[in-house]
Structure formats: C-alpha cells, structure tokens
Amino acid sequence: MSLDEKSADALAAAPHRRPPVPRWLLGIGPLVLIAMLLGLFTLLNAPGLNKLSEGVPPKEEVAVEDVRLTAGQIAITVRNEGPDPVSIAQVNVSDYYAVFTQTRETMAPLESTTLTIIYNWVEGDPYDVALVTSNGGKIPAVIDAAALSPERGSSFFGLMLLMGIYVGVIPVALGMLWMPFVRRSSASWVRVLLGVTVGLLSFLAIDATLEAVGLVAGSGAFGGPMVVFLGAVTAYLILEGTDAWMRRHQNSTTARQPSALPPQRLAPQRLALLIAIGIGLHNFGEGLAIGSAYAVGSLALGASLIVGFAIHNTTEGLAIVTPLAKQPPGLGRLAILGLIAGAPAAAGALLGATVYQPALAAFLLGIGAGAVAQVAVKLLPMLKDPAGKTFTPLTGAGVVLGMGLMFATGLLVQA
C-alpha cells in the first residue's frame, strides 16, 4: 500500500469535524438565556418569594422636582423613587385640603406626575404643602415665599439666551484680552500663569462636583450621586480619547509634510482647545442650573448677580490663552475658542428653563467637572522648570492664587 493510500484511509477513519460555533453566538447565547429566565421569573411572579412581602407595608419614596405658581394654581411635579407604585390621594395646603388634578393617577417606580392644585395663594406668603398618598404617607413641599412663576414664552427664552451671553460668552471674551500680557511674560511667569490656570480648573472641578452631589443628595432615582461620577468619568475618558485622536492626526500630517513644525510645537494649540471644551462643558452645566433656578422662581436676576457671574467667569478666558503664550493664534481661532467655552452657558440656560430634572442636571455638572479635571491634569507637564520640577514655590503659588480667585469671585454669585 502506498503512502497516499494510507493517508486517505486515515482521513476516512478520522471522525467528521463539525464547523466551529461562531464567536458572536457564544457571546449572545448567555444573554438570551438570562433574558428568558428573567422573563419567566417575572411572569410567574417570583414563585416561592411572595410570602416574604406579606404584612410588610409598601415603601414610598417620592421626591418633589418642580413647583410652579400661576394665578390661583400651584403645580407640583413629583417622582416615585421607591420600588413600589405610589398614588397621591389628597393635597393639604397649610391645613386646607385643596382640589387638584394630576397627569398620572399611579406612579410606577421612576415615573413622575404633575399635580395642579386649585388654591388662591397670596404673593409673598409662605405655604406648607403636604401630598398625602393612598397609604397615608406624606410628601412635604415648602414654598418659602409665594411668587408668580415666569411664563415660558418667546420673551422668556430670549431672556435666557441673553443671560447665557452675559455670563458665558462676554466674560470669556474679556478674559482672553490678557493675551498680549501673556505673550510678553517671561518663561517663569508663564509657568506661574499656567499654575493659576491649574488652580482655576481644579476649583471648577471641585465646585461642580459638590453642586451636582447636592442636587441629588438623599435621592436614589437614576443612581443618585453615582450619576455625578458617571458623568465625570465619561467626560474624562472622552476628552482623553479626543486628545489621542488629535495627536495621531497631527503626527500623520507632519509625517507627510517634513517641512512642517514638529508635533510638540502644535501641542499648546491642542491644549487650548481642550481647555475651551472643558470650560464649555462646565459652563453648560452652570447655565442649566441658572436657567432652571430662575424658571422655578428661586433665583432673582439682577445687575449685581450678572456682574458677579461675569467677574467669576472672566478668569476662564485667561485659562484658555495662557498655553498659547509663545504661539499666539489668529483672531479667528481665538473667537472660535471663546465661543466653544462661553456659548454653552446660553444653551444650558435655555435647556434648564425648559426641561429640568435633578438627575440630568447632576449628570451634566459631573460631565463639566470631569472635563476640566482632565484638562488640569494635561496642564501639569507644562509647569516643569528647566530642572524638571513641576511644583516650585512660584507654580505652587500660582495654583493657590487661581483657586483663591475663583473662590473670591464665586462669593459674588451667591444667590
């Protein structure tokens, strides 16, 4: 028997091999099985576990999200943050049971309803509102001083847009006027200004985080305070990815053009763009908070408040132009950077005045915090002196000065 014949007999005797199962099917198979088991568990209503809830009263956790006052009416929006359905049966306004209507009779978990209460309130008077559930639970809502809520018409949205320009676009543009001063500064003073920028951004990150956590403190809906850190991590990673993409794109461009500037010469412009994006995301969250506060009547807009916001945000323009000390861009690029940083305040004010939800606001503020934190980290290598030290007495003083400036100007916008 020849060698070829022996090989053919061996192949014929070997068991037939089945084609391998596709990898995507191996990945999706467990997910389908889990979904089927969960569906069956729900359909059978948790067999064997029903007795665990016998005699246990339903858990009612309801949060008040919005209070609006119109002529002869009080509109209150509440959300069910607990695991059990909740129904509002009665409304008590300062020991008076008032007539009301609601958009949803029973709130499933995470659902909301808006109650329109018929009540002739008096401007300036305080009111204690208690929403009584069908199980006898009470949800308090306090109105410190009754005032007519602003109508959301064209003039209202025009005011929100104008306010966003006042507190976002104009202050950032004014801060960028420090560009000539930065250009004429020595290398050591530029490092001090970069330290000031790191201090500014660090303060913004801390301030936004504290404000966001305060919005959802004690609330378990949509993850509670976790949404803040989810937004921060998301923004941080997105900006890191954006920076890496711009670096790869820049390297490929310079590789095709040998006469172009080396990659490190373009880094400050990329860093200035990242700073503008980070500040813009922070200003979007800030505008959201301002617009929503004014829409519900808890913020009185006035010249002193606008001036306070303007002074507070002017320092952000300095943060954008400082990395460009040795490579000043054209006026067109500076204008674009200013709009990226300031215009989101107007967009945030419009959104906050229209649709406000604490968890969403906290998430957006968290995004701003993560963005400016990422940029602050990117700035640290630029603080190094010729000896390779990042933090020297001068740069450390700059960081402290930056945080002090933001703290001092922030006192002007307490409302």
Side-chain angles (χ1 to χ4, degrees):
M1 181 180 294
S2 65
L3 182 62
D4 292 339
E5 291 175 346
K6 291 181 179 180
S7 301
D9 292 341
L11 290 174
H16 179 67
R17 293 185 177 180
R18 296 180 180 179
V21 179
R23 188 177 65 171
W24 66 268
L25 185 59
L26 294 175
I28 202 173
L31 295 177
V32 174
L33 180 60
I34 291 172
M36 293 174 60
L37 290 176
L38 290 177
L40 182 63
F41 188 77
T42 304
L43 184 65
L44 298 177
N45 195 23
L49 300 181
N50 295 333
K51 294 183 179 180
L52 293 177
S53 59
E54 291 182 358
V56 179
K59 188 177 182 180
E60 296 179 333
E61 297 180 2
V62 180
V64 176
E65 291 190 345
D66 189 15
V67 178
R68 289 183 55 82
L69 280 75
T70 56
Q73 292 182 346
I74 302 174
I76 300 178
T77 300
V78 295
R79 184 176 300 275
N80 179 13
E81 297 183 346
D84 300 316
V86 177
S87 299
I88 305 298
Q90 295 176 318
V91 174
N92 184 288
V93 183
S94 296
D95 297 328
Y96 170 79
Y97 285 94
V99 178
F100 70 98
T101 60
Q102 54 185 324
T103 57
R104 182 178 279 112
E105 297 292 335
T106 301
M107 293 179 289
L110 296 182
E111 285 187 340
S112 64
T113 184
T114 298
L115 299 95
T116 302
I117 306 165
I118 310 301
Y119 189 84
N120 291 317
W121 51 271
V122 178
E123 185 173 1
D125 286 357
Y127 293 96
D128 292 324
V129 182
L131 310 180
V132 184
T133 68
S134 57
N135 294 313
K138 291 186 177 181
I139 303 129
V142 179
I143 302 173
D144 295 325
L148 193 66
S149 299
E151 293 292 332
R152 296 174 180 175
S154 57
S155 60
F156 173 76
F157 293 118
L159 175 64
M160 292 297 100
L161 181 61
L162 185 63
M163 185 189 63
I165 294 174
Y166 280 161
V167 304
V169 178
I170 294 178
V172 171
L174 291 176
M176 297 176 76
L177 295 178
W178 271 304
M179 185 70 185
F181 169 76
V182 174
R183 288 180 58 187
R184 294 193 178 186
S185 299
S186 63
S188 58
W189 275 105
V190 169
R191 286 193 293 271
V192 173
L193 293 175
L194 287 171
V196 172
T197 301
V198 171
L200 296 175
L201 297 176
S202 300
F203 183 91
L204 289 178
I206 296 171
D207 183 59
T209 302
L210 293 177
E211 183 178 353
V213 171
L215 287 177
V216 290
S219 171
F222 305 104
M226 282 302 299
V227 300
V228 181
F229 301 101
L230 175 63
V233 172
T234 299
Y236 193 99
L237 295 178
I238 288 176
L239 280 187
E240 280 288 339
T242 302
D243 180 47
W245 176 84
M246 288 192 296
R247 192 183 302 114
R248 287 196 302 269
H249 178 72
Q250 172 186 302
N251 291 340
S252 62
T253 301
T254 53
R256 292 192 301 268
Q257 300 176 2
S259 61
L261 292 174
Q264 59 270 22
R265 293 289 302 279
L266 295 179
Q269 296 190 16
R270 185 175 69 243
L271 188 56
L273 176 60
L274 289 176
I275 292 175
I277 293 174
I279 290 176
L281 291 173
H282 173 268
N283 283 339
F284 182 82
E286 189 175 75
L288 183 78
I290 295 171
S292 59
Y294 180 71
V296 300
S298 61
L299 178 68
L301 294 179
S304 60
L305 183 65
I306 298 301
V307 170
F309 271 112
I311 295 175
H312 182 63
N313 292 344
T314 297
T315 52
E316 296 173 353
L318 174 63
I320 296 172
V321 300
T322 299
L324 303 172
K326 303 306 178 184
Q327 297 179 35
L331 292 178
R333 182 178 289 272
L334 282 176
I336 292 174
L337 291 175
L339 287 175
I340 291 174
L350 289 173
L351 179 64
T354 308
V355 180
Y356 179 72
Q357 208 284 325
L360 174 62
F363 177 74
L364 294 174
L365 284 169
I367 285 180
V372 294
Q374 188 270 347
V375 178
V377 171
K378 287 293 182 182
L379 276 172
L380 290 178
M382 298 185 69
L383 299 181
K384 291 183 178 180
D385 61 6
K389 293 182 179 180
T390 300
F391 287 105
T392 64
L394 282 178
T395 56
V399 174
V400 174
L401 178 61
M403 299 188 72
L405 282 173
M406 294 303 288
F407 177 77
T409 56
L411 296 177
L412 299 174
V413 297
Q414 299 296 327

mmCIF file of all heavy atoms in Angstrom, residues 117-154:
data_model
loop_
_atom_site.group_PDB
_atom_site.id
_atom_site.type_symbol
_atom_site.label_atom_id
_atom_site.label_comp_id
_atom_site.label_asym_id
_atom_site.label_seq_id
_atom_site.Cartn_x
_atom_site.Cartn_y
_atom_site.Cartn_z
ATOM 1 N N ILE A 117 -52.932 72.108 41.636
ATOM 2 C CA ILE A 117 -53.738 72.342 42.836
ATOM 3 C C ILE A 117 -54.473 73.671 42.686
ATOM 4 O O ILE A 117 -53.859 74.700 42.389
ATOM 5 C CB ILE A 117 -52.828 72.378 44.083
ATOM 6 C CG1 ILE A 117 -51.986 71.094 44.146
ATOM 7 C CG2 ILE A 117 -53.647 72.557 45.351
ATOM 8 C CD1 ILE A 117 -50.816 71.187 45.101
ATOM 9 N N ILE A 118 -55.778 73.637 42.895
ATOM 10 C CA ILE A 118 -56.576 74.857 42.839
ATOM 11 C C ILE A 118 -56.494 75.544 44.203
ATOM 12 O O ILE A 118 -57.068 75.061 45.185
ATOM 13 C CB ILE A 118 -58.048 74.549 42.479
ATOM 14 C CG1 ILE A 118 -58.111 73.640 41.231
ATOM 15 C CG2 ILE A 118 -58.813 75.834 42.251
ATOM 16 C CD1 ILE A 118 -57.456 74.216 40.014
ATOM 17 N N TYR A 119 -55.799 76.672 44.237
ATOM 18 C CA TYR A 119 -55.601 77.359 45.519
ATOM 19 C C TYR A 119 -55.248 78.816 45.251
ATOM 20 O O TYR A 119 -54.347 79.124 44.482
ATOM 21 C CB TYR A 119 -54.477 76.697 46.316
ATOM 22 C CG TYR A 119 -54.337 77.196 47.731
ATOM 23 C CD1 TYR A 119 -55.117 76.665 48.749
ATOM 24 C CD2 TYR A 119 -53.438 78.211 48.047
ATOM 25 C CE1 TYR A 119 -54.998 77.120 50.053
ATOM 26 C CE2 TYR A 119 -53.315 78.678 49.353
ATOM 27 C CZ TYR A 119 -54.101 78.134 50.349
ATOM 28 O OH TYR A 119 -53.991 78.596 51.629
ATOM 29 N N ASN A 120 -55.970 79.716 45.889
ATOM 30 C CA ASN A 120 -55.740 81.155 45.731
ATOM 31 C C ASN A 120 -54.648 81.611 46.707
ATOM 32 O O ASN A 120 -54.929 82.075 47.808
ATOM 33 C CB ASN A 120 -57.032 81.942 45.962
ATOM 34 C CG ASN A 120 -58.051 81.720 44.869
ATOM 35 O OD1 ASN A 120 -57.723 81.711 43.690
ATOM 36 N ND2 ASN A 120 -59.310 81.511 45.261
ATOM 37 N N TRP A 121 -53.419 81.460 46.294
ATOM 38 C CA TRP A 121 -52.295 81.835 47.139
ATOM 39 C C TRP A 121 -52.097 83.350 47.110
ATOM 40 O O TRP A 121 -52.539 84.036 46.183
ATOM 41 C CB TRP A 121 -51.032 81.119 46.681
ATOM 42 C CG TRP A 121 -50.743 81.266 45.194
ATOM 43 C CD1 TRP A 121 -51.180 80.450 44.195
ATOM 44 C CD2 TRP A 121 -49.977 82.294 44.573
ATOM 45 N NE1 TRP A 121 -50.742 80.895 42.977
ATOM 46 C CE2 TRP A 121 -49.987 82.032 43.180
ATOM 47 C CE3 TRP A 121 -49.287 83.404 45.033
ATOM 48 C CZ2 TRP A 121 -49.335 82.831 42.252
ATOM 49 C CZ3 TRP A 121 -48.625 84.214 44.114
ATOM 50 C CH2 TRP A 121 -48.649 83.936 42.752
ATOM 51 N N VAL A 122 -51.411 83.844 48.109
ATOM 52 C CA VAL A 122 -51.153 85.275 48.239
ATOM 53 C C VAL A 122 -49.660 85.512 48.060
ATOM 54 O O VAL A 122 -48.842 84.827 48.676
ATOM 55 C CB VAL A 122 -51.613 85.808 49.612
ATOM 56 C CG1 VAL A 122 -51.300 87.298 49.744
ATOM 57 C CG2 VAL A 122 -53.109 85.548 49.796
ATOM 58 N N GLU A 123 -49.318 86.463 47.229
ATOM 59 C CA GLU A 123 -47.916 86.717 46.930
ATOM 60 C C GLU A 123 -47.142 87.101 48.194
ATOM 61 O O GLU A 123 -47.579 87.936 48.985
ATOM 62 C CB GLU A 123 -47.783 87.831 45.893
ATOM 63 C CG GLU A 123 -46.353 88.065 45.433
ATOM 64 C CD GLU A 123 -46.266 89.042 44.281
ATOM 65 O OE1 GLU A 123 -47.330 89.557 43.850
ATOM 66 O OE2 GLU A 123 -45.146 89.295 43.814
ATOM 67 N N GLY A 124 -46.002 86.475 48.357
ATOM 68 C CA GLY A 124 -45.133 86.750 49.499
ATOM 69 C C GLY A 124 -45.383 85.881 50.711
ATOM 70 O O GLY A 124 -44.540 85.834 51.627
ATOM 71 N N ASP A 125 -46.515 85.193 50.763
ATOM 72 C CA ASP A 125 -46.827 84.352 51.918
ATOM 73 C C ASP A 125 -46.154 82.984 51.793
ATOM 74 O O ASP A 125 -46.019 82.442 50.688
ATOM 75 C CB ASP A 125 -48.337 84.143 52.051
ATOM 76 C CG ASP A 125 -49.048 85.385 52.567
ATOM 77 O OD1 ASP A 125 -48.349 86.377 52.872
ATOM 78 O OD2 ASP A 125 -50.286 85.366 52.658
ATOM 79 N N PRO A 126 -45.745 82.390 52.912
ATOM 80 C CA PRO A 126 -45.184 81.035 52.886
ATOM 81 C C PRO A 126 -46.305 79.990 52.944
ATOM 82 O O PRO A 126 -47.369 80.241 53.532
ATOM 83 C CB PRO A 126 -44.316 80.994 54.140
ATOM 84 C CG PRO A 126 -45.007 81.926 55.087
ATOM 85 C CD PRO A 126 -45.634 83.015 54.245
ATOM 86 N N TYR A 127 -46.057 78.818 52.382
ATOM 87 C CA TYR A 127 -47.056 77.751 52.388
ATOM 88 C C TYR A 127 -46.361 76.409 52.601
ATOM 89 O O TYR A 127 -45.286 76.145 52.056
ATOM 90 C CB TYR A 127 -47.825 77.712 51.061
ATOM 91 C CG TYR A 127 -48.688 78.934 50.842
ATOM 92 C CD1 TYR A 127 -48.226 80.005 50.093
ATOM 93 C CD2 TYR A 127 -49.954 79.021 51.414
ATOM 94 C CE1 TYR A 127 -49.004 81.125 49.892
ATOM 95 C CE2 TYR A 127 -50.744 80.147 51.226
ATOM 96 C CZ TYR A 127 -50.257 81.198 50.468
ATOM 97 O OH TYR A 127 -51.028 82.319 50.288
ATOM 98 N N ASP A 128 -46.997 75.577 53.437
ATOM 99 C CA ASP A 128 -46.564 74.206 53.653
ATOM 100 C C ASP A 128 -47.546 73.283 52.943
ATOM 101 O O ASP A 128 -48.727 73.210 53.316
ATOM 102 C CB ASP A 128 -46.524 73.869 55.147
ATOM 103 C CG ASP A 128 -45.432 74.618 55.878
ATOM 104 O OD1 ASP A 128 -44.361 74.822 55.275
ATOM 105 O OD2 ASP A 128 -45.650 75.021 57.039
ATOM 106 N N VAL A 129 -47.048 72.585 51.931
ATOM 107 C CA VAL A 129 -47.885 71.691 51.142
ATOM 108 C C VAL A 129 -47.529 70.257 51.513
ATOM 109 O O VAL A 129 -46.347 69.894 51.600
ATOM 110 C CB VAL A 129 -47.677 71.918 49.634
ATOM 111 C CG1 VAL A 129 -48.597 71.010 48.823
ATOM 112 C CG2 VAL A 129 -47.913 73.381 49.277
ATOM 113 N N ALA A 130 -48.550 69.446 51.757
ATOM 114 C CA ALA A 130 -48.350 68.026 52.059
ATOM 115 C C ALA A 130 -49.154 67.202 51.066
ATOM 116 O O ALA A 130 -50.380 67.359 50.962
ATOM 117 C CB ALA A 130 -48.770 67.708 53.489
ATOM 118 N N LEU A 131 -48.481 66.346 50.333
ATOM 119 C CA LEU A 131 -49.140 65.430 49.407
ATOM 120 C C LEU A 131 -49.343 64.107 50.135
ATOM 121 O O LEU A 131 -48.373 63.476 50.575
ATOM 122 C CB LEU A 131 -48.284 65.232 48.158
ATOM 123 C CG LEU A 131 -47.771 66.505 47.470
ATOM 124 C CD1 LEU A 131 -46.928 66.148 46.253
ATOM 125 C CD2 LEU A 131 -48.930 67.412 47.080
ATOM 126 N N VAL A 132 -50.592 63.704 50.295
ATOM 127 C CA VAL A 132 -50.930 62.510 51.066
ATOM 128 C C VAL A 132 -51.151 61.351 50.107
ATOM 129 O O VAL A 132 -51.972 61.442 49.184
ATOM 130 C CB VAL A 132 -52.190 62.747 51.923
ATOM 131 C CG1 VAL A 132 -52.465 61.518 52.790
ATOM 132 C CG2 VAL A 132 -52.020 63.988 52.790
ATOM 133 N N THR A 133 -50.435 60.243 50.326
ATOM 134 C CA THR A 133 -50.576 59.085 49.457
ATOM 135 C C THR A 133 -51.773 58.244 49.877
ATOM 136 O O THR A 133 -52.375 58.449 50.939
ATOM 137 C CB THR A 133 -49.301 58.224 49.498
ATOM 138 O OG1 THR A 133 -49.184 57.622 50.795
ATOM 139 C CG2 THR A 133 -48.072 59.067 49.229
ATOM 140 N N SER A 134 -52.120 57.274 49.045
ATOM 141 C CA SER A 134 -53.259 56.405 49.339
ATOM 142 C C SER A 134 -53.003 55.540 50.563
ATOM 143 O O SER A 134 -53.950 55.025 51.163
ATOM 144 C CB SER A 134 -53.552 55.521 48.120
ATOM 145 O OG SER A 134 -52.403 54.768 47.767
ATOM 146 N N ASN A 135 -51.743 55.375 50.953
ATOM 147 C CA ASN A 135 -51.404 54.595 52.143
ATOM 148 C C ASN A 135 -51.199 55.464 53.377
ATOM 149 O O ASN A 135 -50.789 54.962 54.437
ATOM 150 C CB ASN A 135 -50.135 53.777 51.891
ATOM 151 C CG ASN A 135 -50.337 52.705 50.838
ATOM 152 O OD1 ASN A 135 -51.318 51.973 50.867
ATOM 153 N ND2 ASN A 135 -49.418 52.628 49.897
ATOM 154 N N GLY A 136 -51.456 56.760 53.257
ATOM 155 C CA GLY A 136 -51.343 57.659 54.402
ATOM 156 C C GLY A 136 -50.004 58.344 54.555
ATOM 157 O O GLY A 136 -49.814 59.129 55.494
ATOM 158 N N GLY A 137 -49.062 58.085 53.648
ATOM 159 C CA GLY A 137 -47.773 58.755 53.716
ATOM 160 C C GLY A 137 -47.885 60.211 53.284
ATOM 161 O O GLY A 137 -48.803 60.592 52.554
ATOM 162 N N LYS A 138 -46.978 61.046 53.772
ATOM 163 C CA LYS A 138 -46.991 62.475 53.443
ATOM 164 C C LYS A 138 -45.685 62.883 52.776
ATOM 165 O O LYS A 138 -44.597 62.531 53.241
ATOM 166 C CB LYS A 138 -47.215 63.307 54.703
ATOM 167 C CG LYS A 138 -48.616 63.178 55.292
ATOM 168 C CD LYS A 138 -48.826 64.137 56.449
ATOM 169 C CE LYS A 138 -50.255 64.039 56.984
ATOM 170 N NZ LYS A 138 -50.494 64.992 58.098
ATOM 171 N N ILE A 139 -45.825 63.634 51.672
ATOM 172 C CA ILE A 139 -44.678 64.166 50.948
ATOM 173 C C ILE A 139 -44.709 65.676 51.107
ATOM 174 O O ILE A 139 -45.617 66.340 50.591
ATOM 175 C CB ILE A 139 -44.724 63.789 49.462
ATOM 176 C CG1 ILE A 139 -44.791 62.266 49.305
ATOM 177 C CG2 ILE A 139 -43.538 64.357 48.717
ATOM 178 C CD1 ILE A 139 -45.871 61.794 48.418
ATOM 179 N N PRO A 140 -43.751 66.266 51.830
ATOM 180 C CA PRO A 140 -43.796 67.714 52.065
ATOM 181 C C PRO A 140 -43.213 68.499 50.891
ATOM 182 O O PRO A 140 -42.294 68.057 50.209
ATOM 183 C CB PRO A 140 -42.921 67.879 53.309
ATOM 184 C CG PRO A 140 -41.949 66.752 53.225
ATOM 185 C CD PRO A 140 -42.664 65.607 52.568
ATOM 186 N N ALA A 141 -43.787 69.680 50.673
ATOM 187 C CA ALA A 141 -43.270 70.638 49.695
ATOM 188 C C ALA A 141 -43.434 72.020 50.304
ATOM 189 O O ALA A 141 -44.561 72.430 50.626
ATOM 190 C CB ALA A 141 -44.014 70.531 48.370
ATOM 191 N N VAL A 142 -42.342 72.724 50.493
ATOM 192 C CA VAL A 142 -42.357 74.014 51.176
ATOM 193 C C VAL A 142 -42.197 75.143 50.160
ATOM 194 O O VAL A 142 -41.312 75.097 49.299
ATOM 195 C CB VAL A 142 -41.239 74.093 52.227
ATOM 196 C CG1 VAL A 142 -41.236 75.444 52.918
ATOM 197 C CG2 VAL A 142 -41.397 72.970 53.250
ATOM 198 N N ILE A 143 -43.066 76.137 50.261
ATOM 199 C CA ILE A 143 -42.962 77.356 49.463
ATOM 200 C C ILE A 143 -42.619 78.485 50.429
ATOM 201 O O ILE A 143 -43.468 78.915 51.209
ATOM 202 C CB ILE A 143 -44.284 77.651 48.711
ATOM 203 C CG1 ILE A 143 -44.647 76.470 47.808
ATOM 204 C CG2 ILE A 143 -44.163 78.937 47.904
ATOM 205 C CD1 ILE A 143 -46.010 76.596 47.154
ATOM 206 N N ASP A 144 -41.385 78.950 50.399
ATOM 207 C CA ASP A 144 -40.928 79.950 51.371
ATOM 208 C C ASP A 144 -41.642 81.281 51.197
ATOM 209 O O ASP A 144 -42.056 81.909 52.172
ATOM 210 C CB ASP A 144 -39.418 80.147 51.251
ATOM 211 C CG ASP A 144 -38.655 78.895 51.641
ATOM 212 O OD1 ASP A 144 -39.117 78.189 52.553
ATOM 213 O OD2 ASP A 144 -37.624 78.602 51.020
ATOM 214 N N ALA A 145 -41.777 81.719 49.960
ATOM 215 C CA ALA A 145 -42.468 82.988 49.673
ATOM 216 C C ALA A 145 -43.098 82.854 48.299
ATOM 217 O O ALA A 145 -42.395 82.754 47.285
ATOM 218 C CB ALA A 145 -41.507 84.167 49.717
ATOM 219 N N ALA A 146 -44.427 82.821 48.262
ATOM 220 C CA ALA A 146 -45.134 82.609 47.007
ATOM 221 C C ALA A 146 -44.875 83.757 46.039
ATOM 222 O O ALA A 146 -44.923 84.933 46.419
ATOM 223 C CB ALA A 146 -46.631 82.466 47.266
ATOM 224 N N ALA A 147 -44.582 83.401 44.790
ATOM 225 C CA ALA A 147 -44.362 84.401 43.737
ATOM 226 C C ALA A 147 -44.754 83.782 42.411
ATOM 227 O O ALA A 147 -44.605 82.563 42.197
ATOM 228 C CB ALA A 147 -42.908 84.857 43.707
ATOM 229 N N LEU A 148 -45.258 84.609 41.529
ATOM 230 C CA LEU A 148 -45.709 84.141 40.226
ATOM 231 C C LEU A 148 -44.532 83.609 39.420
ATOM 232 O O LEU A 148 -43.514 84.294 39.261
ATOM 233 C CB LEU A 148 -46.388 85.284 39.476
ATOM 234 C CG LEU A 148 -47.199 84.904 38.224
ATOM 235 C CD1 LEU A 148 -48.399 84.061 38.604
ATOM 236 C CD2 LEU A 148 -47.631 86.165 37.493
ATOM 237 N N SER A 149 -44.639 82.374 38.930
ATOM 238 C CA SER A 149 -43.569 81.801 38.110
ATOM 239 C C SER A 149 -43.580 82.443 36.739
ATOM 240 O O SER A 149 -44.643 82.760 36.190
ATOM 241 C CB SER A 149 -43.758 80.284 37.972
ATOM 242 O OG SER A 149 -43.712 79.658 39.238
ATOM 243 N N PRO A 150 -42.408 82.685 36.127
ATOM 244 C CA PRO A 150 -42.354 83.340 34.816
ATOM 245 C C PRO A 150 -42.977 82.471 33.729
ATOM 246 O O PRO A 150 -42.826 81.244 33.727
ATOM 247 C CB PRO A 150 -40.854 83.537 34.586
ATOM 248 C CG PRO A 150 -40.195 82.517 35.454
ATOM 249 C CD PRO A 150 -41.071 82.357 36.641
ATOM 250 N N GLU A 151 -43.674 83.126 32.814
ATOM 251 C CA GLU A 151 -44.262 82.418 31.684
ATOM 252 C C GLU A 151 -43.171 82.040 30.693
ATOM 253 O O GLU A 151 -42.278 82.830 30.389
ATOM 254 C CB GLU A 151 -45.321 83.289 30.990
ATOM 255 C CG GLU A 151 -46.555 83.554 31.826
ATOM 256 C CD GLU A 151 -47.377 82.292 32.059
ATOM 257 O OE1 GLU A 151 -47.327 81.396 31.195
ATOM 258 O OE2 GLU A 151 -48.065 82.207 33.086
ATOM 259 N N ARG A 152 -43.257 80.826 30.166
ATOM 260 C CA ARG A 152 -42.221 80.338 29.246
ATOM 261 C C ARG A 152 -42.616 80.630 27.808
ATOM 262 O O ARG A 152 -42.970 79.746 27.037
ATOM 263 C CB ARG A 152 -42.006 78.848 29.470
ATOM 264 C CG ARG A 152 -41.466 78.535 30.866
ATOM 265 C CD ARG A 152 -41.397 77.058 31.145
ATOM 266 N NE ARG A 152 -40.879 76.785 32.493
ATOM 267 C CZ ARG A 152 -40.807 75.579 33.037
ATOM 268 N NH1 ARG A 152 -41.241 74.527 32.358
ATOM 269 N NH2 ARG A 152 -40.326 75.415 34.251
ATOM 270 N N GLY A 153 -42.517 81.904 27.464
ATOM 271 C CA GLY A 153 -42.803 82.331 26.103
ATOM 272 C C GLY A 153 -41.534 82.763 25.391
ATOM 273 O O GLY A 153 -40.413 82.541 25.855
ATOM 274 N N SER A 154 -41.728 83.427 24.232
ATOM 275 C CA SER A 154 -40.580 83.857 23.432
ATOM 276 C C SER A 154 -39.716 84.860 24.185
ATOM 277 O O SER A 154 -38.478 84.815 24.116
ATOM 278 C CB SER A 154 -41.067 84.451 22.109
ATOM 279 O OG SER A 154 -41.963 85.536 22.350
#
